[in-house]
Amino acid sequence: MANRLAHETSPYLLQHADNPVDWWPWSAEAFEEARRRGVPVLLSVGYSSCHWCHVMAHESFEDQETADYLNEHFLSVKVDREERPDVDAVYMEAVQAATGQGGWPMTVFLTPDAEPFYFGTYFPPAPRHGMPSFRQVLEGVSQAWTGRREEVAEVAGKIVRDLAGREISYGDSRAPGEQELAQALLGLTREYDPQRGGFGGAPKFPPSMVIEFLLRHHARTGAEGALQMAMDTCERMARGGLYDQLGGGFARYSVDRDWVVPHFEKMLYDNALLCRVYAHLWRATGSELARRVALETADFMVRELRTAEGGFASALDADSDDGTGRHVEGAYYVWTPEQLTEVLGAADAEQAAHYFGVTREGTFEHGSSVLQLPQHEGVFDAEKIASVKERLLEARGRRSAPGRDDKVVAAWNGLAIAALAETGAYFDRPYLVDAAVAAADLLVRLHLDDRARLTRTSKDGQAGANAGVLEDYADVAEGFLALASVTGEGVWLEFAGLLLDHVLARFTDPESGALYDTAADAERLIRRPQDPTDNATPSGWSAAAAALLGYAAHTGSQPHRAAAERALGVVKALGPRVPRFIGWGLAAAEALLDGPREVAIVGPSAEDPGTRELHRTALLATAPGTVVACGTPDSEEFPLLADRVLIDGSPTAYVCRGFVCDLPVTDAAALREKLGA
């Protein structure tokens, strides 16, 4: 019999709807029921493409005996961390503080007042490697709850007090300057892996936000070391197993230092961020590899993640059926020499194995290999390799495909909108811009209410019940600002302004300028979450600072610029110390130091060839954070266009900072020169 999750919209919750565990969704009613029964709460947090979440579900939550024990002694609550990042953040902070590590599935035991008292992540069904079994944990917690209730309450109260006492250093509410950004670059240089690219050891995550900072820093200062780190890291990622050499798009992370074996799930946010980074790398260097990867990643998102409603799904699973009925990680993507021969024939298979690094021993499990792209393309005939890739991709398409999490997350769609709009504009792919516009239309139509408040998720055209958090408002505003620059349609600037007004009114501390991840009127948790550091995506804090700055550049709004500068004070404090974890804030600080540049382009019409050339030239500017407004002299959609006139009847460009402009120019070469960083 289906439990209470059967009516949810989250694919992750729906995966557990037929468990014998009597799951509840996160709700006041769940905690009221725990209080009525006098039992503790088991909080289990995960997400649909999480491999170990699936493992624990199969081992424990689908087991009738375990479920019976849970149902008798606990009230069980299941949370999709992607729907409720606030709940996830609050309890993950507690898990990390108590155990020194975190991850998913996250397993937390709470009092009926939602106060945590025991923590963990994955627990096996039997004791293993020094870990207790899940049943042992359940029995121990239940015995403590029934026999030492006062002690449990005391521990829970202390944890909540400790969490409430944690404060973030905001700096002095002034944005970082040259010195702090130089120190951040030095810190990144120390952590850089010069042999393999990237930062730190295994597991290795794609440092998209740090690369954006490096590209902007090079554009502003000419620092060759910054550009070299960005170029080398991007090349190593694109040639490794992290990148899907057949279908495009990036996996979540590499389990090794060499980018060979990925954790195979593909997330929308990674691909949106990396698509934009590779497009920006091409813009800075003209790299053909960067161009190809940007376009292939954009096409992957449109082909495999786009939903029927025009938005973008959250993720593809790591696991799929390996042909024997077993769900195996990476089964969809890896190849053996025998499989290559079966598809290609012996001669082409031998060439393909050499080209893609497929070995007899294998680079993954059971003699299979993850496809890579060693640096020897010139040895092979390009037409033959194109044919090989086409045949392998067709054969792979006949395999059992990984499951797709179809929920549309507002923040991640905002990142995708920005990436697709810019990539489409740079490479003259109007279908990518159209896809960005369609996703933006969906967000306005389904996620935005009549007060311009965002709903975080939707699925199958139905809006979810959870309020948007700071990253939703900031990343969607970022996407809308990119659309405004690319399309010349001022309505996207207007929508961005509405969202950022909420950031100022509901997410910002009016005295310090600090930002919170949840709105002042959001559901009260044991702590109001607040984290300025980047994780898999830009922090809401840094993303808001960047969007506020971009909106101020478009409109001349001093309140928005002042809010951005105050928010960047935390980057001044953290950037020199932990630059790997505040890359988006450092990138925003680069834009602030550069101005950012404001480019107003006026022409007789949007279709005029001269206007289009100036517009494209402006979009390709590497100066950090440049905003572009394009329209006719009488346009009222963009404040930047006010009082801008044609020179001698020709399309004209104005390059400004703080709405103070240089002399206008009428040809692309002169505009390019003015936009040189």
Side-chain angles (χ1 to χ4, degrees), residues 165-188:
R166 290 172 171 241
E167 292 293 337
I168 294 172
S169 173
Y170 305 121
D172 56 8
S173 295
R174 289 183 295 177
E178 295 277 1
Q179 180 180 352
E180 288 82 16
L181 295 181
Q183 288 173 334
L185 179 63
L186 180 61
L188 290 171

Side-chain angles (χ1 to χ4, degrees), residues 446-501:
L446 195 59
H447 286 245
L448 207 60
D449 69 12
D450 55 5
R451 295 183 295 170
R453 295 189 177 212
L454 273 173
T455 296
R456 178 161 174 84
T457 62
S458 66
K459 184 178 180 295
D460 299 329
Q462 178 182 347
N466 299 306
V469 296
L470 179 60
E471 71 163 353
D472 294 306
Y473 285 84
D475 289 338
V476 173
E478 176 81 13
F480 287 174
L481 290 171
L483 264 190
S485 285
V486 165
T487 65
E489 296 177 2
V491 64
W492 302 115
L493 179 62
E494 181 180 349
F495 279 128
L498 293 173
L499 295 174
L500 293 171
D501 285 345

Side-chain angles (χ1 to χ4, degrees), residues 40-43 70 74 107-111 115-120 123 134 137-138 141:
V41 173
L42 165 70
L43 173 64
L70 270 171
F74 297 87
T107 307
V108 186
F109 295 91
L110 315 175
T111 71
E115 297 180 337
F117 62 89
Y118 190 78
F119 315 90
F123 289 106
F134 187 49
V137 170
L138 294 179
V141 169

Side-chain angles (χ1 to χ4, degrees), residues 480-561:
F480 287 174
L481 290 171
L483 264 190
S485 285
V486 165
T487 65
E489 296 177 2
V491 64
W492 302 115
L493 179 62
E494 181 180 349
F495 279 128
L498 293 173
L499 295 174
L500 293 171
D501 285 345
H502 280 293
V503 170
L504 296 180
R506 300 170 55 228
F507 292 88
T508 305
D509 186 313
E511 294 185 5
S512 68
L515 292 160
Y516 289 91
D517 293 331
T518 54
D521 53 355
E523 176 188 349
R524 293 185 66 84
L525 302 174
I526 59 170
R527 170 178 168 82
R528 190 177 179 189
Q530 181 186 47
D531 187 357
T533 58
D534 300 328
N535 197 307
T537 57
S539 71
W541 188 314
S542 292
L548 287 163
L549 182 63
Y551 183 77
H554 261 297
T555 63
S557 168
Q558 285 305 309
H560 289 82
R561 184 179 177 94

Side-chain angles (χ1 to χ4, degrees), residues 249-465:
F250 289 85
R252 177 69 198 94
Y253 62 86
S254 173
V255 301
D256 58 275
R257 298 183 66 178
D258 293 296
W259 308 105
V260 175
V261 177
H263 200 9
F264 288 90
E265 71 263 35
K266 288 181 173 179
M267 314 302 293
L268 173 61
Y269 51 74
D270 282 320
N271 284 283
L273 289 164
L274 287 165
C275 176
R276 201 177 187 191
V277 157
Y278 279 88
H280 289 175
L281 178 62
W282 170 84
R283 185 175 66 178
T285 66
S287 162
E288 181 56 34
L289 176 69
R291 177 185 183 276
R292 176 176 64 79
V293 170
L295 283 170
E296 288 177 354
T297 303
D299 286 341
F300 156 74
M301 288 191 285
V302 172
R303 182 182 68 249
E304 298 193 35
L305 294 180
R306 196 175 188 192
T307 68
E309 296 76 29
F312 290 91
S314 297
L316 299 179
D317 283 357
D319 304 358
S320 59
D321 192 317
D322 67 352
T324 68
R326 297 183 307 132
H327 263 61
V328 176
E329 184 179 5
Y332 186 69
Y333 299 102
V334 298
W335 297 83
T336 63
E338 292 77 17
Q339 289 171 327
L340 292 181
T341 301
E342 183 180 340
V343 174
L344 301 172
D348 285 355
E350 183 178 356
Q351 189 177 57
H354 186 43
Y355 185 80
F356 288 118
V358 176
T359 66
R360 186 64 55 187
E361 299 78 16
T363 58
F364 186 50
E365 298 172 348
H366 312 299
S368 63
S369 293
V370 184
L371 300 190
Q372 301 176 72
L373 189 63
Q375 290 182 317
H376 53 209
E377 296 101 313
V379 176
F380 298 95
D381 178 78
E383 288 188 15
K384 173 58 70 68
I385 290 300
S387 169
V388 163
K389 290 177 70 172
E390 184 178 348
R391 284 181 281 164
L392 290 177
L393 189 60
E394 181 182 355
R396 192 176 80 175
R398 295 192 290 271
R399 296 176 175 178
S400 177
R404 188 172 86 162
D405 183 332
D406 280 333
K407 73 174 177 295
V408 172
V409 177
W412 307 347
N413 273 254
L415 297 175
I417 288 165
L420 293 172
E422 292 183 353
T423 304
Y426 297 170
F427 303 118
D428 194 23
R429 299 293 195 275
Y431 68 92
L432 295 178
V433 179
D434 291 344
V437 171
D441 282 337
L442 176 71
L443 293 180
V444 171
R445 184 175 71 251
L446 195 59
H447 286 245
L448 207 60
D449 69 12
D450 55 5
R451 295 183 295 170
R453 295 189 177 212
L454 273 173
T455 296
R456 178 161 174 84
T457 62
S458 66
K459 184 178 180 295
D460 299 329
Q462 178 182 347

Side-chain angles (χ1 to χ4, degrees), residues 30 45 55 95 114 143 154 161 197 276 356 460 464 488 498 549 669:
V45 182
V55 171
V95 170
Q143 290 168 8
E154 184 178 340
R161 289 192 298 274
R276 201 177 187 191
F356 288 118
D460 299 329
L498 293 173
L549 182 63

